[in-house]
Amino acid sequence: MLEEVVISKAIIDGYRDKLVRSLDVDVAICGGGPAGLVCAETLARAGKKVVLFERKLCVGGGMWGGGMLFNEIVVQSKAKSILDEYRVKARKYKPNYYLADSVECVSSLAYHAVHSGAVILNCVSVEDVMIRKNRICGVVINWSTVEIANLHVDPLTVKAKFVVDTTGHPCEVVGVVERKTDIRLRTKTGKILGEKSMWADLAENAIEKHTKEICPGLFVSGMCASSVFGSPRMGPIFGGMLLSGKKAARLILSRLKS
Ligand code: 48F
């Protein structure tokens, strides 16, 4: 016999466990697009305590829609090994151009992130950061439904040794730091430089360089790094996002070691 109340209690207990485990972590990742998912998986696989917050019901960000809803993505040779690592079938289109099914890509990145031990909390938005001694040391979260309904409900707070902004084009977490604090960002002006118009080659080459600690305790990765450093957008080529997620994880792993 199945009892509805037991089903309800199982769900509440299971979620409570994940939430409590996520209150004090090595790394809090804000945004579950391709960069955030790769970063989460790489850190979790290395044994780190990772939580990823995603505003929407589903992770994957801009990857599902490929280019203009044609659900195929392009990845250049440099990042093809990451598709292999996540067991995504990559089809060679021309030298240096691989095609992959965007649904297969998102599903595989998400599966591997959770399977490696990262906690993904969907429908949760990061609305602020926690700061001590001019260092970002956590994030402030709320249900996305509270945000969408514009309800006056106070948030909860998560402590993290490092925070990663992978919120994509709007670079929301860095935006909060810029708006609410005197902390100088490590850009030319100390402020967000803002995304430029399409130039895939330039943008894809720049994104790894711009994946870095933007201010103490806060890293930028993926399209967020491009926006913060004033790089062009690149459209539906995703190698840079995957490589950037890996690089952010590598940098944080070496910081956690030291
Ligand atoms: O936009 P998104 O896919 O970022 P990305 O990983 O990849 C960029 C590409 O998809 C594409 C591109 C490729 O060349 O240009 O745009 O850098 O994923 C960002 C995710 O963050 C979530 C948002 O819903 C999306 O799934 N997000 C944004 N703001 C918040 C957030 C927030 N404040 N709290 C939680 N999640």
Side-chain angles (χ1 to χ4, degrees):
M1 200 182 72
L2 289 170
E3 277 191 56
E4 291 83 353
V5 169
V6 179
I7 297 171
S8 301
K9 189 164 183 305
I11 288 173
I12 293 166
D13 286 346
Y15 193 85
R16 181 191 174 279
D17 284 351
K18 284 195 286 199
L19 188 58
V20 169
R21 267 194 285 143
S22 304
L23 292 180
D24 188 353
V25 292
D26 292 317
V27 188
I29 299 177
C30 314
L37 289 171
V38 168
C39 186
E41 192 282 334
T42 309
L43 288 162
R45 188 162 16 128
K48 301 304 166 198
K49 213 172 155 193
V50 181
V51 61
L52 182 153
F53 300 108
E54 167 54 49
R55 169 179 283 140
K56 296 195 174 145
L57 189 54
C58 59
V59 290
M63 202 178 223
W64 293 106
M68 220 178 97
L69 290 182
F70 296 4
N71 66 356
E72 291 280 318
I73 60 153
V74 171
V75 165
Q76 60 273 51
S77 301
K78 197 176 172 197
K80 197 249 177 193
S81 62
I82 303 181
L83 292 181
D84 296 340
E85 188 183 327
Y86 293 112
R87 305 180 71 181
V88 173
K89 274 192 264 80
R91 291 119 54 207
K92 189 166 183 176
Y93 182 69
K94 279 185 175 201
N96 202 27
Y97 296 81
Y98 287 87
L99 267 173
D101 183 286
S102 68
V103 175
E104 183 185 357
C105 273
V106 175
S107 314
S108 186
L109 296 184
Y111 164 76
H112 281 96
V114 176
H115 203 68
S116 296
V119 172
I120 296 183
L121 299 180
N122 54 337
C123 296
V124 175
S125 294
V126 176
E127 60 169 56
D128 205 342
V129 292
M130 178 160 70
I131 301 184
R132 293 290 181 278
K133 295 181 184 158
N134 271 339
R135 187 182 191 285
I136 312 301
C137 58
V139 292
V140 178
I141 57 167
N142 214 328
W143 299 119
S144 302
T145 43
V146 165
E147 183 188 65
I148 293 161
N150 205 13
L151 301 178
H152 186 170
V153 178
D154 270 322
L156 294 176
T157 303
V158 165
K159 186 176 167 193
K161 295 192 180 94
F162 292 99
V163 174
V164 189
D165 187 346
T166 45
T167 60
H169 297 260
C171 49
E172 290 195 16
V173 183
V174 183
V176 166
V177 174
E178 185 187 70
R179 232 178 20 256
K180 288 196 172 185
T181 78
D182 296 330
I183 296 176
R184 192 183 157 81
L185 305 175
R186 291 171 185 153
T187 60
K188 265 196 306 225
T189 60
K191 299 275 177 199
I192 295 171
L193 300 180
E195 174 194 307
K196 303 288 184 295
S197 289
M198 184 79 85
W199 189 344
D201 190 51
L202 190 72
E204 283 290 290
N205 286 322
I207 190 164
E208 266 187 282
K209 187 176 101 194
H210 293 144
T211 301
K212 54 172 77 164
E213 193 173 13
I214 191 70
C215 65
L218 176 63
F219 283 76
V220 288
S221 175
M223 201 56 218
C224 166
S226 295
S227 292
V228 168
F229 281 98
S231 253
R233 64 191 301 189
M234 70 289 286
I237 178 156
F238 281 80
M241 300 304 140
L242 306 175
L243 291 162
S244 173
K246 281 273 173 210
K247 182 177 173 191
R250 262 198 325 274
L251 294 173
I252 292 171
L253 283 174
S254 78
R255 291 291 302 282
L256 284 169
K257 222 186 262 173
S258 65

PDB file of all heavy atoms in Angstrom, residues 64-83:
ATOM      1  N   TRP A  64      19.897  24.731 -24.470  1.00  0.00           N
ATOM      2  CA  TRP A  64      18.795  23.937 -25.046  1.00  0.00           C
ATOM      3  C   TRP A  64      18.444  24.385 -26.456  1.00  0.00           C
ATOM      4  O   TRP A  64      18.161  23.566 -27.331  1.00  0.00           O
ATOM      5  CB  TRP A  64      17.522  24.096 -24.205  1.00  0.00           C
ATOM      6  CG  TRP A  64      17.543  23.532 -22.840  1.00  0.00           C
ATOM      7  CD1 TRP A  64      17.630  24.237 -21.675  1.00  0.00           C
ATOM      8  CD2 TRP A  64      17.453  22.154 -22.460  1.00  0.00           C
ATOM      9  NE1 TRP A  64      17.603  23.379 -20.607  1.00  0.00           N
ATOM     10  CE2 TRP A  64      17.498  22.100 -21.062  1.00  0.00           C
ATOM     11  CE3 TRP A  64      17.347  20.959 -23.180  1.00  0.00           C
ATOM     12  CZ2 TRP A  64      17.438  20.916 -20.343  1.00  0.00           C
ATOM     13  CZ3 TRP A  64      17.283  19.778 -22.473  1.00  0.00           C
ATOM     14  CH2 TRP A  64      17.330  19.749 -21.077  1.00  0.00           C
ATOM     15  N   GLY A  65      18.428  25.694 -26.646  1.00  0.00           N
ATOM     16  CA  GLY A  65      17.869  26.265 -27.879  1.00  0.00           C
ATOM     17  C   GLY A  65      18.832  26.306 -29.043  1.00  0.00           C
ATOM     18  O   GLY A  65      18.464  26.775 -30.119  1.00  0.00           O
ATOM     19  N   GLY A  66      20.072  25.782 -28.868  1.00  0.00           N
ATOM     20  CA  GLY A  66      21.053  25.804 -29.962  1.00  0.00           C
ATOM     21  C   GLY A  66      21.124  27.200 -30.554  1.00  0.00           C
ATOM     22  O   GLY A  66      21.290  28.179 -29.846  1.00  0.00           O
ATOM     23  N   GLY A  67      20.977  27.297 -31.888  1.00  0.00           N
ATOM     24  CA  GLY A  67      20.940  28.614 -32.533  1.00  0.00           C
ATOM     25  C   GLY A  67      19.535  28.842 -33.057  1.00  0.00           C
ATOM     26  O   GLY A  67      19.015  28.018 -33.814  1.00  0.00           O
ATOM     27  N   MET A  68      18.900  29.886 -32.637  1.00  0.00           N
ATOM     28  CA  MET A  68      17.542  30.264 -33.074  1.00  0.00           C
ATOM     29  C   MET A  68      16.573  29.083 -33.019  1.00  0.00           C
ATOM     30  O   MET A  68      15.813  28.836 -33.940  1.00  0.00           O
ATOM     31  CB  MET A  68      17.595  30.851 -34.489  1.00  0.00           C
ATOM     32  CG  MET A  68      16.676  32.043 -34.654  1.00  0.00           C
ATOM     33  SD  MET A  68      16.789  32.758 -36.293  1.00  0.00           S
ATOM     34  CE  MET A  68      15.404  31.980 -37.097  1.00  0.00           C
ATOM     35  N   LEU A  69      16.662  28.326 -31.933  1.00  0.00           N
ATOM     36  CA  LEU A  69      15.814  27.160 -31.656  1.00  0.00           C
ATOM     37  C   LEU A  69      16.132  25.936 -32.529  1.00  0.00           C
ATOM     38  O   LEU A  69      15.430  24.935 -32.439  1.00  0.00           O
ATOM     39  CB  LEU A  69      14.314  27.498 -31.769  1.00  0.00           C
ATOM     40  CG  LEU A  69      13.731  28.397 -30.678  1.00  0.00           C
ATOM     41  CD1 LEU A  69      12.232  28.599 -30.913  1.00  0.00           C
ATOM     42  CD2 LEU A  69      13.947  27.800 -29.292  1.00  0.00           C
ATOM     43  N   PHE A  70      17.146  25.998 -33.376  1.00  0.00           N
ATOM     44  CA  PHE A  70      17.607  24.787 -34.059  1.00  0.00           C
ATOM     45  C   PHE A  70      18.471  24.079 -33.020  1.00  0.00           C
ATOM     46  O   PHE A  70      19.570  24.554 -32.713  1.00  0.00           O
ATOM     47  CB  PHE A  70      18.457  25.113 -35.294  1.00  0.00           C
ATOM     48  CG  PHE A  70      17.727  25.841 -36.398  1.00  0.00           C
ATOM     49  CD1 PHE A  70      16.407  26.258 -36.270  1.00  0.00           C
ATOM     50  CD2 PHE A  70      18.378  26.082 -37.597  1.00  0.00           C
ATOM     51  CE1 PHE A  70      15.745  26.924 -37.295  1.00  0.00           C
ATOM     52  CE2 PHE A  70      17.731  26.747 -38.635  1.00  0.00           C
ATOM     53  CZ  PHE A  70      16.420  27.171 -38.481  1.00  0.00           C
ATOM     54  N   ASN A  71      18.002  22.968 -32.469  1.00  0.00           N
ATOM     55  CA  ASN A  71      18.638  22.453 -31.256  1.00  0.00           C
ATOM     56  C   ASN A  71      19.923  21.644 -31.499  1.00  0.00           C
ATOM     57  O   ASN A  71      20.062  20.511 -31.079  1.00  0.00           O
ATOM     58  CB  ASN A  71      17.631  21.698 -30.379  1.00  0.00           C
ATOM     59  CG  ASN A  71      17.115  20.440 -31.036  1.00  0.00           C
ATOM     60  OD1 ASN A  71      17.446  20.159 -32.184  1.00  0.00           O
ATOM     61  ND2 ASN A  71      16.314  19.690 -30.318  1.00  0.00           N
ATOM     62  N   GLU A  72      20.833  22.284 -32.178  1.00  0.00           N
ATOM     63  CA  GLU A  72      22.183  21.766 -32.409  1.00  0.00           C
ATOM     64  C   GLU A  72      23.160  22.820 -31.906  1.00  0.00           C
ATOM     65  O   GLU A  72      22.896  24.019 -32.036  1.00  0.00           O
ATOM     66  CB  GLU A  72      22.436  21.560 -33.910  1.00  0.00           C
ATOM     67  CG  GLU A  72      21.639  20.436 -34.529  1.00  0.00           C
ATOM     68  CD  GLU A  72      22.265  19.079 -34.245  1.00  0.00           C
ATOM     69  OE1 GLU A  72      23.502  18.961 -34.326  1.00  0.00           O
ATOM     70  OE2 GLU A  72      21.514  18.136 -33.907  1.00  0.00           O
ATOM     71  N   ILE A  73      24.277  22.375 -31.337  1.00  0.00           N
ATOM     72  CA  ILE A  73      25.311  23.352 -30.973  1.00  0.00           C
ATOM     73  C   ILE A  73      26.606  23.022 -31.713  1.00  0.00           C
ATOM     74  O   ILE A  73      26.808  21.885 -32.154  1.00  0.00           O
ATOM     75  CB  ILE A  73      25.590  23.371 -29.450  1.00  0.00           C
ATOM     76  CG1 ILE A  73      26.056  22.002 -28.960  1.00  0.00           C
ATOM     77  CG2 ILE A  73      24.390  23.862 -28.676  1.00  0.00           C
ATOM     78  CD1 ILE A  73      26.915  22.071 -27.741  1.00  0.00           C
ATOM     79  N   VAL A  74      27.470  24.015 -31.814  1.00  0.00           N
ATOM     80  CA  VAL A  74      28.782  23.839 -32.440  1.00  0.00           C
ATOM     81  C   VAL A  74      29.846  23.959 -31.363  1.00  0.00           C
ATOM     82  O   VAL A  74      29.738  24.785 -30.444  1.00  0.00           O
ATOM     83  CB  VAL A  74      28.992  24.893 -33.555  1.00  0.00           C
ATOM     84  CG1 VAL A  74      30.420  24.873 -34.074  1.00  0.00           C
ATOM     85  CG2 VAL A  74      28.007  24.653 -34.690  1.00  0.00           C
ATOM     86  N   VAL A  75      30.837  23.087 -31.459  1.00  0.00           N
ATOM     87  CA  VAL A  75      31.977  23.130 -30.535  1.00  0.00           C
ATOM     88  C   VAL A  75      33.250  22.988 -31.371  1.00  0.00           C
ATOM     89  O   VAL A  75      33.304  22.173 -32.288  1.00  0.00           O
ATOM     90  CB  VAL A  75      31.855  21.985 -29.495  1.00  0.00           C
ATOM     91  CG1 VAL A  75      33.156  21.753 -28.762  1.00  0.00           C
ATOM     92  CG2 VAL A  75      30.741  22.298 -28.493  1.00  0.00           C
ATOM     93  N   GLN A  76      34.225  23.802 -31.076  1.00  0.00           N
ATOM     94  CA  GLN A  76      35.475  23.746 -31.820  1.00  0.00           C
ATOM     95  C   GLN A  76      36.380  22.627 -31.282  1.00  0.00           C
ATOM     96  O   GLN A  76      36.167  22.141 -30.166  1.00  0.00           O
ATOM     97  CB  GLN A  76      36.184  25.116 -31.793  1.00  0.00           C
ATOM     98  CG  GLN A  76      36.553  25.627 -30.417  1.00  0.00           C
ATOM     99  CD  GLN A  76      35.420  26.394 -29.762  1.00  0.00           C
ATOM    100  OE1 GLN A  76      34.301  25.906 -29.693  1.00  0.00           O
ATOM    101  NE2 GLN A  76      35.727  27.569 -29.227  1.00  0.00           N
ATOM    102  N   SER A  77      37.426  22.286 -32.079  1.00  0.00           N
ATOM    103  CA  SER A  77      38.283  21.124 -31.734  1.00  0.00           C
ATOM    104  C   SER A  77      38.834  21.205 -30.320  1.00  0.00           C
ATOM    105  O   SER A  77      38.906  20.211 -29.602  1.00  0.00           O
ATOM    106  CB  SER A  77      39.476  21.034 -32.689  1.00  0.00           C
ATOM    107  OG  SER A  77      39.019  20.914 -33.991  1.00  0.00           O
ATOM    108  N   LYS A  78      39.209  22.416 -29.920  1.00  0.00           N
ATOM    109  CA  LYS A  78      39.864  22.592 -28.618  1.00  0.00           C
ATOM    110  C   LYS A  78      39.018  22.055 -27.453  1.00  0.00           C
ATOM    111  O   LYS A  78      39.554  21.630 -26.429  1.00  0.00           O
ATOM    112  CB  LYS A  78      40.126  24.091 -28.429  1.00  0.00           C
ATOM    113  CG  LYS A  78      41.124  24.396 -27.368  1.00  0.00           C
ATOM    114  CD  LYS A  78      41.403  25.878 -27.305  1.00  0.00           C
ATOM    115  CE  LYS A  78      42.266  26.157 -26.084  1.00  0.00           C
ATOM    116  NZ  LYS A  78      42.251  27.564 -25.720  1.00  0.00           N
ATOM    117  N   ALA A  79      37.699  22.114 -27.616  1.00  0.00           N
ATOM    118  CA  ALA A  79      36.814  21.715 -26.511  1.00  0.00           C
ATOM    119  C   ALA A  79      36.167  20.353 -26.753  1.00  0.00           C
ATOM    120  O   ALA A  79      35.379  19.896 -25.929  1.00  0.00           O
ATOM    121  CB  ALA A  79      35.740  22.775 -26.309  1.00  0.00           C
ATOM    122  N   LYS A  80      36.525  19.715 -27.854  1.00  0.00           N
ATOM    123  CA  LYS A  80      35.838  18.465 -28.195  1.00  0.00           C
ATOM    124  C   LYS A  80      36.071  17.397 -27.124  1.00  0.00           C
ATOM    125  O   LYS A  80      35.203  16.568 -26.824  1.00  0.00           O
ATOM    126  CB  LYS A  80      36.334  18.013 -29.569  1.00  0.00           C
ATOM    127  CG  LYS A  80      35.444  16.991 -30.233  1.00  0.00           C
ATOM    128  CD  LYS A  80      36.131  15.662 -30.287  1.00  0.00           C
ATOM    129  CE  LYS A  80      35.267  14.579 -30.872  1.00  0.00           C
ATOM    130  NZ  LYS A  80      35.836  13.267 -30.637  1.00  0.00           N
ATOM    131  N   SER A  81      37.254  17.442 -26.519  1.00  0.00           N
ATOM    132  CA  SER A  81      37.567  16.424 -25.501  1.00  0.00           C
ATOM    133  C   SER A  81      36.599  16.538 -24.308  1.00  0.00           C
ATOM    134  O   SER A  81      36.350  15.554 -23.607  1.00  0.00           O
ATOM    135  CB  SER A  81      39.010  16.572 -25.024  1.00  0.00           C
ATOM    136  OG  SER A  81      39.157  17.834 -24.432  1.00  0.00           O
ATOM    137  N   ILE A  82      36.037  17.737 -24.087  1.00  0.00           N
ATOM    138  CA  ILE A  82      35.079  17.878 -22.970  1.00  0.00           C
ATOM    139  C   ILE A  82      33.770  17.168 -23.325  1.00  0.00           C
ATOM    140  O   ILE A  82      33.166  16.501 -22.479  1.00  0.00           O
ATOM    141  CB  ILE A  82      34.852  19.363 -22.604  1.00  0.00           C
ATOM    142  CG1 ILE A  82      36.206  20.016 -22.248  1.00  0.00           C
ATOM    143  CG2 ILE A  82      33.865  19.499 -21.444  1.00  0.00           C
ATOM    144  CD1 ILE A  82      36.114  21.476 -21.852  1.00  0.00           C
ATOM    145  N   LEU A  83      33.357  17.268 -24.599  1.00  0.00           N
ATOM    146  CA  LEU A  83      32.165  16.509 -25.004  1.00  0.00           C
ATOM    147  C   LEU A  83      32.430  15.012 -24.833  1.00  0.00           C
ATOM    148  O   LEU A  83      31.571  14.266 -24.353  1.00  0.00           O
ATOM    149  CB  LEU A  83      31.813  16.807 -26.464  1.00  0.00           C
ATOM    150  CG  LEU A  83      31.323  18.220 -26.793  1.00  0.00           C
ATOM    151  CD1 LEU A  83      30.991  18.339 -28.274  1.00  0.00           C
ATOM    152  CD2 LEU A  83      30.095  18.578 -25.956  1.00  0.00           C
TER     153      LEU A  83
END
